[in-house]
Amino acid sequence: MQVVLLEAEREVDHSPRAATTHPSTLEMLAGLGLLEEFQSVGLVARHFQFWDGASRALVAEFDHEVLRDETPYPYVVQTEQHKLCEIGLRRLAAMPDVEVRLGTPVTGLTQDEKGVRLAASGEHSFDYVVACDGGRSTVRKCLDIEFEGYTWPERFLVLTTLFDFAQALGCCPRSYISDPEEWTNLFKVMGDDLKGRWRAVFPARENETDEEAFSEAALERRMRKVCDAHPKELVVHRNIYRVHQRVARTFRAGRVFLAGDAAHVNNPVGGLGLNCGIHDAVDLAETLRLVASGEAGEELLDRYERRRRPLNIEYVQQQTVANKKRLEERDPRVRRANFDELRRAAEDPRLHKQFLMRTSLIESARKAARIA
Ligand SMILES: Cc1cc2nc3c(=O)[nH]c(=O)nc-3n(C[C@H](O)[C@H](O)[C@H](O)COP(=O)(O)OP(=O)(O)OC[C@H]3O[C@@H](n4cnc5c(N)ncnc54)[C@H](O)[C@@H]3O)c2cc1C
Protein backbone atom coordinates (compact mmCIF):
# COMPACT_ATOMS: atom_id res chain seq x y z
CA MET A 1 0.00 0.00 0.00
CA GLN A 2 1.15 3.55 -0.74
CA VAL A 3 0.61 5.70 2.33
CA VAL A 4 0.59 9.48 2.68
CA LEU A 5 0.56 11.00 6.17
CA LEU A 6 -0.79 14.57 6.28
CA GLU A 7 0.03 16.35 9.56
CA ALA A 8 -1.00 19.93 10.32
CA GLU A 9 1.94 20.75 12.59
CA ARG A 10 5.56 21.05 11.55
CA GLU A 11 6.89 19.47 14.76
CA VAL A 12 5.82 16.88 17.32
CA ASP A 13 4.07 18.42 20.35
CA HIS A 14 6.22 17.89 23.48
CA SER A 15 3.63 18.97 26.08
CA PRO A 16 2.90 16.31 28.74
CA ARG A 17 0.24 13.90 27.54
CA ALA A 18 0.10 10.09 27.55
CA ALA A 19 2.89 8.22 29.26
CA THR A 20 1.58 4.85 30.43
CA THR A 21 1.76 2.01 27.93
CA HIS A 22 0.02 -1.17 28.99
CA PRO A 23 1.12 -4.79 28.35
CA SER A 24 -1.31 -5.39 25.45
CA THR A 25 0.01 -2.27 23.67
CA LEU A 26 3.61 -3.27 24.41
CA GLU A 27 2.86 -6.53 22.56
CA MET A 28 1.74 -4.46 19.55
CA LEU A 29 4.82 -2.22 19.66
CA ALA A 30 6.99 -5.36 19.86
CA GLY A 31 5.18 -6.72 16.79
CA LEU A 32 6.11 -3.52 14.94
CA GLY A 33 9.73 -3.80 16.09
CA LEU A 34 9.48 -0.53 18.05
CA LEU A 35 9.48 -1.78 21.63
CA GLU A 36 13.20 -1.93 22.32
CA GLU A 37 13.83 1.70 21.44
CA PHE A 38 10.57 2.80 23.13
CA GLN A 39 11.49 1.05 26.36
CA SER A 40 15.07 2.38 26.30
CA VAL A 41 13.82 5.98 26.67
CA GLY A 42 11.24 5.23 29.36
CA LEU A 43 10.94 3.32 32.60
CA VAL A 44 9.48 -0.07 33.42
CA ALA A 45 6.83 0.08 36.15
CA ARG A 46 5.75 -3.29 37.47
CA HIS A 47 3.52 -2.06 40.29
CA PHE A 48 0.86 0.57 40.81
CA GLN A 49 -0.72 1.77 44.02
CA PHE A 50 -3.87 3.35 45.43
CA TRP A 51 -3.47 5.70 48.38
CA ASP A 52 -5.94 7.31 50.74
CA GLY A 53 -4.97 11.00 50.57
CA ALA A 54 -6.96 11.93 53.69
CA SER A 55 -4.95 9.57 55.95
CA ARG A 56 -1.91 9.32 53.64
CA ALA A 57 -2.11 5.53 53.95
CA LEU A 58 -1.45 2.97 51.24
CA VAL A 59 -4.73 1.20 50.35
CA ALA A 60 -3.63 -1.41 47.81
CA GLU A 61 -0.78 -2.33 45.51
CA PHE A 62 -1.12 -4.24 42.23
CA ASP A 63 1.71 -6.20 40.63
CA HIS A 64 1.69 -6.90 36.87
CA GLU A 65 3.95 -9.88 37.49
CA VAL A 66 0.73 -11.93 38.05
CA LEU A 67 0.22 -11.59 34.26
CA ARG A 68 3.47 -13.49 33.54
CA ASP A 69 1.56 -16.43 32.00
CA GLU A 70 -0.59 -14.13 29.87
CA THR A 71 1.94 -11.75 28.29
CA PRO A 72 5.70 -11.50 27.70
CA TYR A 73 5.45 -7.95 29.12
CA PRO A 74 4.04 -8.13 32.67
CA TYR A 75 4.57 -4.43 33.39
CA VAL A 76 3.74 -1.01 31.99
CA VAL A 77 6.32 1.19 30.31
CA GLN A 78 6.19 4.89 31.12
CA THR A 79 7.54 6.68 28.06
CA GLU A 80 6.27 10.08 27.01
CA GLN A 81 3.96 10.16 23.99
CA HIS A 82 6.17 12.55 21.98
CA LYS A 83 9.00 9.99 22.09
CA LEU A 84 6.74 7.35 20.51
CA CYS A 85 5.73 9.87 17.80
CA GLU A 86 9.37 10.57 17.03
CA ILE A 87 10.29 6.88 16.93
CA GLY A 88 7.29 6.29 14.63
CA LEU A 89 8.23 9.19 12.32
CA ARG A 90 11.81 7.90 12.02
CA ARG A 91 10.45 4.46 11.11
CA LEU A 92 8.10 5.94 8.47
CA ALA A 93 10.92 8.03 6.95
CA ALA A 94 12.76 4.80 6.13
CA MET A 95 9.78 3.21 4.33
CA PRO A 96 9.82 3.64 0.54
CA ASP A 97 6.02 3.50 0.20
CA VAL A 98 5.33 6.18 2.82
CA GLU A 99 5.34 9.92 2.30
CA VAL A 100 5.15 12.18 5.36
CA ARG A 101 3.95 15.75 4.77
CA LEU A 102 4.28 17.90 7.88
CA GLY A 103 2.70 21.36 8.06
CA THR A 104 -0.16 20.18 5.82
CA PRO A 105 -3.57 20.59 7.49
CA VAL A 106 -6.55 18.81 5.96
CA THR A 107 -9.33 21.34 5.42
CA GLY A 108 -12.01 19.43 3.51
CA LEU A 109 -13.13 16.04 2.27
CA THR A 110 -15.47 14.57 -0.33
CA GLN A 111 -15.94 10.95 -1.33
CA ASP A 112 -17.83 8.65 -3.69
CA GLU A 113 -17.80 4.89 -4.19
CA LYS A 114 -14.48 5.06 -6.07
CA GLY A 115 -12.34 7.12 -3.67
CA VAL A 116 -11.81 10.03 -1.28
CA ARG A 117 -10.55 13.52 -2.11
CA LEU A 118 -8.88 15.54 0.62
CA ALA A 119 -8.23 19.27 0.51
CA ALA A 120 -4.80 19.90 2.08
CA SER A 121 -2.63 22.49 0.26
CA GLY A 122 -4.17 21.27 -2.98
CA GLU A 123 -6.36 18.23 -3.62
CA HIS A 124 -5.28 14.62 -3.01
CA SER A 125 -7.10 11.43 -4.00
CA PHE A 126 -6.97 8.22 -1.99
CA ASP A 127 -8.69 4.83 -1.89
CA TYR A 128 -9.10 5.08 1.89
CA VAL A 129 -8.57 7.73 4.56
CA VAL A 130 -7.84 7.06 8.24
CA ALA A 131 -8.62 10.18 10.27
CA CYS A 132 -6.29 10.33 13.28
CA ASP A 133 -6.65 14.09 13.62
CA GLY A 134 -7.43 14.16 17.33
CA GLY A 135 -10.42 15.05 19.50
CA ARG A 136 -11.35 18.10 17.40
CA SER A 137 -11.09 16.06 14.17
CA THR A 138 -11.74 18.14 11.07
CA VAL A 139 -12.52 14.96 9.13
CA ARG A 140 -15.15 13.84 11.67
CA LYS A 141 -16.76 17.28 11.40
CA CYS A 142 -16.66 17.21 7.57
CA LEU A 143 -18.51 13.88 7.73
CA ASP A 144 -20.99 15.32 10.23
CA ILE A 145 -20.48 12.39 12.61
CA GLU A 146 -21.80 13.16 16.06
CA PHE A 147 -19.28 12.98 18.96
CA GLU A 148 -21.61 11.60 21.62
CA GLY A 149 -20.93 12.12 25.31
CA TYR A 150 -20.07 14.95 27.65
CA THR A 151 -17.35 17.29 28.91
CA TRP A 152 -16.37 17.31 32.62
CA PRO A 153 -16.98 20.68 34.31
CA GLU A 154 -13.51 20.76 35.90
CA ARG A 155 -10.27 20.89 33.93
CA PHE A 156 -7.19 18.83 34.80
CA LEU A 157 -3.95 20.44 35.89
CA VAL A 158 -0.58 18.74 35.27
CA LEU A 159 2.45 19.93 37.25
CA THR A 160 5.81 18.43 36.32
CA THR A 161 8.44 18.44 39.05
CA LEU A 162 12.02 17.29 39.63
CA PHE A 163 11.05 16.30 43.20
CA ASP A 164 11.30 12.56 43.88
CA PHE A 165 7.97 11.42 45.35
CA ALA A 166 9.12 7.80 45.61
CA GLN A 167 11.84 8.76 48.03
CA ALA A 168 9.70 11.21 50.00
CA LEU A 169 6.46 9.21 50.23
CA GLY A 170 7.50 5.63 49.56
CA CYS A 171 5.07 5.49 46.65
CA CYS A 172 5.71 3.69 43.35
CA PRO A 173 6.13 5.37 39.93
CA ARG A 174 2.39 5.12 39.25
CA SER A 175 0.30 6.09 42.26
CA TYR A 176 -3.33 7.17 42.50
CA ILE A 177 -4.24 9.23 45.55
CA SER A 178 -7.95 9.31 46.35
CA ASP A 179 -9.09 12.36 48.28
CA PRO A 180 -12.58 13.79 48.81
CA GLU A 181 -11.14 17.32 48.71
CA GLU A 182 -8.70 17.02 45.83
CA TRP A 183 -7.35 13.81 44.31
CA THR A 184 -3.91 13.43 42.69
CA ASN A 185 -2.27 11.06 40.23
CA LEU A 186 1.48 10.80 40.56
CA PHE A 187 3.61 9.22 37.91
CA LYS A 188 7.21 9.25 36.96
CA VAL A 189 8.61 9.67 33.45
CA MET A 190 12.25 9.86 32.38
CA GLY A 191 12.23 13.23 30.54
CA ASP A 192 14.33 13.93 27.45
CA ASP A 193 17.50 13.94 29.57
CA LEU A 194 16.52 10.51 31.03
CA LYS A 195 17.19 11.90 34.53
CA GLY A 196 13.61 11.34 35.70
CA ARG A 197 10.80 13.70 36.73
CA TRP A 198 7.28 13.33 38.13
CA ARG A 199 3.94 14.48 36.85
CA ALA A 200 1.26 15.32 39.40
CA VAL A 201 -2.27 15.55 37.96
CA PHE A 202 -5.00 17.41 39.92
CA PRO A 203 -8.57 18.47 39.20
CA ALA A 204 -8.78 22.25 38.87
CA ARG A 205 -11.75 23.91 40.61
CA GLU A 206 -14.72 24.38 38.28
CA ASN A 207 -14.20 28.11 37.73
CA GLU A 208 -10.48 28.26 38.35
CA THR A 209 -8.75 30.38 35.68
CA ASP A 210 -5.36 29.47 34.16
CA GLU A 211 -3.85 32.35 36.11
CA GLU A 212 -5.22 31.07 39.42
CA ALA A 213 -4.26 27.44 38.76
CA PHE A 214 -0.71 28.39 37.71
CA SER A 215 -0.17 30.90 40.56
CA GLU A 216 2.71 30.23 42.94
CA ALA A 217 0.29 30.06 45.88
CA ALA A 218 -1.97 27.44 44.25
CA LEU A 219 1.01 25.44 43.10
CA GLU A 220 2.57 25.44 46.56
CA ARG A 221 -0.73 24.52 48.22
CA ARG A 222 -1.32 21.57 45.88
CA MET A 223 2.19 20.16 46.05
CA ARG A 224 2.40 20.62 49.84
CA LYS A 225 -0.86 18.74 50.26
CA VAL A 226 0.69 15.74 48.53
CA CYS A 227 4.02 16.10 50.31
CA ASP A 228 4.94 18.80 52.88
CA ALA A 229 8.59 18.63 51.85
CA HIS A 230 7.99 19.62 48.21
CA PRO A 231 9.96 22.82 47.37
CA LYS A 232 7.94 24.83 44.82
CA GLU A 233 11.09 25.74 42.79
CA LEU A 234 11.27 22.16 41.55
CA VAL A 235 8.12 22.54 39.39
CA VAL A 236 9.42 22.74 35.81
CA HIS A 237 6.20 22.66 33.74
CA ARG A 238 2.49 23.51 34.16
CA ASN A 239 -0.34 22.49 31.90
CA ILE A 240 -4.13 22.63 32.16
CA TYR A 241 -6.66 21.03 29.84
CA ARG A 242 -10.31 20.18 29.35
CA VAL A 243 -11.42 16.56 29.71
CA HIS A 244 -14.20 14.76 27.85
CA GLN A 245 -15.91 11.37 27.62
CA ARG A 246 -17.06 11.06 24.03
CA VAL A 247 -17.37 8.38 21.36
CA ALA A 248 -18.13 9.03 17.68
CA ARG A 249 -21.52 7.68 16.63
CA THR A 250 -19.82 5.70 13.87
CA PHE A 251 -16.15 4.85 13.22
CA ARG A 252 -16.64 4.41 9.47
CA ALA A 253 -18.29 6.50 6.75
CA GLY A 254 -17.76 4.89 3.35
CA ARG A 255 -14.04 4.92 2.63
CA VAL A 256 -13.14 7.01 5.68
CA PHE A 257 -12.33 5.61 9.14
CA LEU A 258 -11.92 7.40 12.46
CA ALA A 259 -9.19 6.21 14.84
CA GLY A 260 -7.64 7.37 18.11
CA ASP A 261 -8.95 10.56 19.70
CA ALA A 262 -10.84 11.42 16.50
CA ALA A 263 -13.06 8.42 17.38
CA HIS A 264 -13.06 8.55 21.19
CA VAL A 265 -11.81 10.69 24.07
CA ASN A 266 -11.75 9.97 27.79
CA ASN A 267 -10.28 11.28 31.03
CA PRO A 268 -6.66 10.19 31.59
CA VAL A 269 -7.15 8.35 34.92
CA GLY A 270 -5.89 4.85 34.16
CA GLY A 271 -3.86 5.91 31.13
CA LEU A 272 -6.06 4.28 28.50
CA GLY A 273 -6.68 6.84 25.72
CA LEU A 274 -3.55 6.53 23.60
CA ASN A 275 -3.36 2.79 24.26
CA CYS A 276 -6.81 2.35 22.81
CA GLY A 277 -5.89 4.54 19.82
CA ILE A 278 -2.90 2.31 19.09
CA HIS A 279 -5.18 -0.76 19.32
CA ASP A 280 -7.49 0.93 16.76
CA ALA A 281 -4.58 1.65 14.42
CA VAL A 282 -3.14 -1.87 14.56
CA ASP A 283 -6.55 -3.47 13.95
CA LEU A 284 -7.41 -1.11 11.10
CA ALA A 285 -4.02 -1.43 9.38
CA GLU A 286 -4.39 -5.22 9.28
CA THR A 287 -8.01 -4.99 8.08
CA LEU A 288 -7.03 -2.60 5.25
CA ARG A 289 -4.10 -4.85 4.32
CA LEU A 290 -6.40 -7.86 4.03
CA VAL A 291 -8.84 -5.96 1.82
CA ALA A 292 -6.19 -4.18 -0.31
CA SER A 293 -4.36 -7.45 -0.97
CA GLY A 294 -7.59 -9.16 -2.01
CA GLU A 295 -7.31 -11.71 0.83
CA ALA A 296 -10.66 -10.44 2.12
CA GLY A 297 -13.64 -8.70 0.54
CA GLU A 298 -14.69 -5.11 1.27
CA GLU A 299 -17.33 -6.35 3.71
CA LEU A 300 -14.49 -6.96 6.21
CA LEU A 301 -14.09 -3.17 6.56
CA ASP A 302 -17.13 -3.05 8.86
CA ARG A 303 -15.39 -5.35 11.33
CA TYR A 304 -13.24 -2.41 12.48
CA GLU A 305 -16.23 -0.59 13.95
CA ARG A 306 -17.79 -3.81 15.25
CA ARG A 307 -14.63 -4.43 17.23
CA ARG A 308 -13.37 -1.07 18.27
CA ARG A 309 -16.48 0.99 19.13
CA PRO A 310 -18.16 -1.31 21.71
CA LEU A 311 -14.81 -2.19 23.26
CA ASN A 312 -13.96 1.48 23.72
CA ILE A 313 -17.25 2.00 25.54
CA GLU A 314 -16.85 -1.11 27.71
CA TYR A 315 -13.14 -0.94 28.55
CA VAL A 316 -12.14 2.70 28.22
CA GLN A 317 -15.19 4.92 28.79
CA GLN A 318 -16.68 2.89 31.65
CA GLN A 319 -13.29 2.20 33.22
CA THR A 320 -12.01 5.79 33.16
CA VAL A 321 -15.29 7.18 34.53
CA ALA A 322 -15.17 4.61 37.37
CA ASN A 323 -11.48 5.41 38.01
CA LYS A 324 -12.21 9.12 38.29
CA LYS A 325 -15.25 8.56 40.57
CA ARG A 326 -13.18 6.36 42.88
CA LEU A 327 -10.55 9.08 43.26
CA GLU A 328 -13.02 11.90 43.99
CA GLU A 329 -15.67 10.04 46.03
CA ARG A 330 -16.95 12.21 48.89
CA ASP A 331 -19.31 9.86 50.77
CA PRO A 332 -17.22 8.28 53.58
CA ARG A 333 -19.17 4.99 53.41
CA VAL A 334 -18.68 4.64 49.66
CA ARG A 335 -15.00 5.57 50.04
CA ARG A 336 -14.55 2.84 52.65
CA ALA A 337 -16.37 0.32 50.45
CA ASN A 338 -14.18 1.30 47.46
CA PHE A 339 -11.02 0.86 49.49
CA ASP A 340 -12.24 -2.51 50.85
CA GLU A 341 -12.91 -3.67 47.31
CA LEU A 342 -9.42 -2.62 46.16
CA ARG A 343 -7.82 -4.36 49.16
CA ARG A 344 -9.81 -7.54 48.49
CA ALA A 345 -8.75 -7.48 44.83
CA ALA A 346 -5.10 -6.93 45.74
CA GLU A 347 -5.06 -9.68 48.38
CA ASP A 348 -6.89 -12.43 46.44
CA PRO A 349 -4.66 -13.87 43.65
CA ARG A 350 -7.63 -14.61 41.38
CA LEU A 351 -9.18 -11.15 41.76
CA HIS A 352 -5.77 -9.50 41.50
CA LYS A 353 -5.21 -11.08 38.10
CA GLN A 354 -8.79 -10.39 36.97
CA PHE A 355 -8.35 -6.71 37.89
CA LEU A 356 -5.10 -6.40 35.91
CA MET A 357 -6.38 -8.35 32.89
CA ARG A 358 -8.94 -5.58 32.52
CA THR A 359 -6.81 -2.52 33.33
CA SER A 360 -3.95 -3.73 31.07
CA LEU A 361 -6.41 -4.03 28.13
CA ILE A 362 -5.35 -7.67 27.57
CA GLU A 363 -8.97 -8.76 28.11
CA SER A 364 -10.26 -6.20 25.58
CA ALA A 365 -7.59 -7.11 22.98
CA ARG A 366 -8.58 -10.80 23.26
CA LYS A 367 -12.24 -9.97 23.04
CA ALA A 368 -11.56 -7.88 19.90
CA ALA A 369 -9.82 -10.82 18.25
CA ARG A 370 -12.95 -12.95 18.82
CA ILE A 371 -15.25 -10.48 17.01
CA ALA A 372 -15.47 -11.63 13.39
C1 LIG B 1 -2.56 15.44 29.93
C2 LIG B 1 -2.95 14.18 29.22
C3 LIG B 1 -2.52 12.99 29.76
C4 LIG B 1 -2.81 11.81 29.09
N1 LIG B 1 -2.37 10.64 29.62
C5 LIG B 1 -2.59 9.49 28.96
C6 LIG B 1 -2.00 8.24 29.39
O1 LIG B 1 -1.30 8.17 30.42
N2 LIG B 1 -2.25 7.13 28.66
C7 LIG B 1 -2.99 7.18 27.51
O2 LIG B 1 -3.16 6.12 26.87
N3 LIG B 1 -3.55 8.33 27.08
C8 LIG B 1 -3.35 9.49 27.75
N4 LIG B 1 -3.84 10.68 27.25
C9 LIG B 1 -4.59 10.69 26.01
C10 LIG B 1 -3.66 10.75 24.80
O3 LIG B 1 -2.78 11.83 24.87
C11 LIG B 1 -4.50 10.81 23.54
O4 LIG B 1 -5.40 9.73 23.57
C12 LIG B 1 -3.62 10.75 22.31
O5 LIG B 1 -2.88 11.93 22.13
C13 LIG B 1 -4.45 10.52 21.06
O6 LIG B 1 -3.60 10.40 19.97
P1 LIG B 1 -4.15 10.74 18.55
O7 LIG B 1 -2.98 10.53 17.63
O8 LIG B 1 -5.41 10.01 18.28
O9 LIG B 1 -4.54 12.28 18.60
P2 LIG B 1 -3.58 13.52 18.85
O10 LIG B 1 -2.44 13.17 19.73
O11 LIG B 1 -4.47 14.65 19.24
O12 LIG B 1 -2.96 13.80 17.43
C14 LIG B 1 -3.73 14.33 16.38
C15 LIG B 1 -2.77 14.85 15.34
O13 LIG B 1 -3.52 15.28 14.21
C16 LIG B 1 -3.04 16.56 13.82
N5 LIG B 1 -4.15 17.26 13.19
C17 LIG B 1 -5.23 17.82 13.77
N6 LIG B 1 -6.06 18.33 12.86
C18 LIG B 1 -5.49 18.10 11.65
C19 LIG B 1 -5.86 18.39 10.31
N7 LIG B 1 -7.00 19.03 10.02
N8 LIG B 1 -5.03 17.99 9.31
C20 LIG B 1 -3.87 17.32 9.57
N9 LIG B 1 -3.48 17.03 10.84
C21 LIG B 1 -4.28 17.41 11.86
C22 LIG B 1 -2.57 17.23 15.09
O14 LIG B 1 -1.64 18.25 14.82
C23 LIG B 1 -1.95 16.03 15.84
O15 LIG B 1 -0.60 15.84 15.49
C24 LIG B 1 -3.57 11.85 27.90
C25 LIG B 1 -4.01 13.07 27.37
C26 LIG B 1 -3.69 14.23 28.01
C27 LIG B 1 -4.16 15.53 27.43
Side-chain angles (χ1 to χ4, degrees):
M1 286 186 279
Q2 300 276 333
V3 175
V4 180
L5 188 154
L6 301 166
E7 163 58 49
E9 298 297 329
R10 293 193 178 277
E11 283 171 2
V12 171
D13 180 359
H14 278 227
S15 62
R17 297 182 74 187
T20 302
T21 308
H22 293 284
S24 52
T25 315
L26 296 176
E27 289 178 24
M28 293 173 190
L29 296 183
L32 295 167
L34 300 177
L35 184 59
E36 206 177 315
E37 188 179 358
F38 180 71
Q39 203 163 306
S40 73
V41 289
L43 69 93
V44 167
R46 178 175 147 183
H47 301 97
F48 68 99
Q49 296 173 334
F50 288 94
W51 289 75
D52 175 3
S55 63
R56 293 200 177 172
L58 177 64
V59 174
E61 177 174 276
F62 289 88
D63 180 359
H64 285 87
E65 185 58 28
V66 304
L67 301 177
R68 170 72 55 194
D69 294 341
E70 306 290 343
T71 175
Y73 312 105
Y75 46 79
V76 305
V77 173
Q78 295 190 179
T79 300
E80 299 92 324
Q81 175 171 335
H82 70 267
K83 293 179 182 169
L84 178 60
C85 288
E86 279 159 0
I87 293 170
L89 280 175
R90 279 198 293 278
R91 168 63 70 86
L92 292 179
M95 291 181 159
D97 296 331
V98 178
E99 187 188 334
V100 176
R101 292 193 201 164
L102 301 179
T104 314
V106 172
T107 51
L109 174 148
T110 52
Q111 64 170 324
D112 56 30
E113 65 284 355
K114 292 207 190 80
V116 194
R117 281 165 307 283
L118 287 185
S121 308
E123 200 174 88
H124 312 263
S125 295
F126 300 103
D127 293 329
Y128 298 105
V129 166
V130 182
C132 310
D133 51 348
R136 294 184 189 147
S137 171
T138 301
V139 171
R140 192 188 63 236
K141 287 175 191 159
C142 286
L143 294 167
D144 214 10
I145 297 175
E146 204 182 324
F147 210 22
E148 296 171 336
Y150 56 90
T151 299
W152 294 101
E154 75 278 32
R155 294 185 297 164
F156 283 20
L157 173 70
V158 187
L159 302 177
T160 306
T161 171
L162 300 178
F163 185 72
D164 186 353
F165 286 109
Q167 206 172 39
L169 298 176
C171 65
C172 72
R174 195 169 148 227
S175 295
Y176 297 96
I177 306 175
S178 165
D179 195 309
E181 283 174 26
E182 191 176 61
W183 54 264
T184 317
N185 287 346
L186 290 180
F187 54 99
K188 188 176 178 182
V189 290
M190 292 311 290
D192 288 343
D193 56 9
L194 302 186
K195 288 187 177 158
R197 59 204 56 217
W198 286 73
R199 291 182 187 164
V201 185
F202 303 88
R205 286 194 316 275
E206 263 181 57
N207 297 317
E208 197 168 353
T209 60
D210 290 14
E211 218 172 40
E212 286 165 348
F214 292 158
S215 72
E216 295 295 307
L219 191 145
E220 193 166 0
R221 179 190 69 71
R222 287 195 161 101
M223 286 309 210
R224 285 270 160 88
K225 187 160 185 291
V226 179
C227 181
D228 309 312
H230 186 286
K232 65 175 191 276
E233 311 75 65
L234 291 188
V235 172
V236 289
H237 193 271
R238 307 145 204 224
N239 193 19
I240 190 161
Y241 62 101
R242 205 154 271 302
V243 184
H244 318 266
Q245 304 286 156
R246 293 183 188 273
V247 180
R249 172 161 287 188
T250 174
F251 284 15
R252 178 184 177 198
R255 293 177 165 271
V256 184
F257 301 84
L258 305 181
D261 276 22
H264 44 73
V265 286
N266 52 271
N267 80 68
V269 188
L272 294 172
L274 179 60
N275 283 265
C276 192
I278 294 172
H279 290 219
D280 292 346
V282 168
D283 189 84
L284 184 53
E286 174 60 6
T287 308
L288 286 171
R289 187 194 68 77
L290 287 168
V291 173
S293 66
E295 285 172 61
E298 288 220 339
E299 64 284 354
L300 191 75
L301 295 174
D302 281 330
R303 187 182 70 180
Y304 170 67
E305 168 162 329
R306 273 202 302 279
R307 284 183 168 177
R308 302 303 315 157
R309 192 173 183 279
L311 288 175
N312 181 273
I313 294 169
E314 185 180 352
Y315 286 90
V316 178
Q317 300 299 329
Q318 289 174 7
Q319 180 88 45
T320 54
V321 171
N323 289 347
K324 179 175 179 292
K325 285 219 163 99
R326 187 160 46 204
L327 289 184
E328 68 195 10
E329 183 57 55
R330 292 225 155 100
D331 182 331
R333 272 178 315 173
V334 181
R335 272 171 64 74
R336 264 199 307 279
N338 286 344
F339 291 163
D340 287 346
E341 197 185 332
L342 285 170
R343 279 190 205 102
R344 253 197 319 278
E347 282 160 14
D348 177 315
R350 190 183 58 84
L351 295 176
H352 196 124
K353 185 168 175 182
Q354 204 176 55
F355 188 85
L356 289 178
M357 286 294 282
R358 192 175 168 85
T359 59
S360 65
L361 293 173
I362 294 179
E363 194 181 297
S364 90
R366 291 192 184 159
K367 209 168 185 178
R370 291 196 298 271
I371 299 173

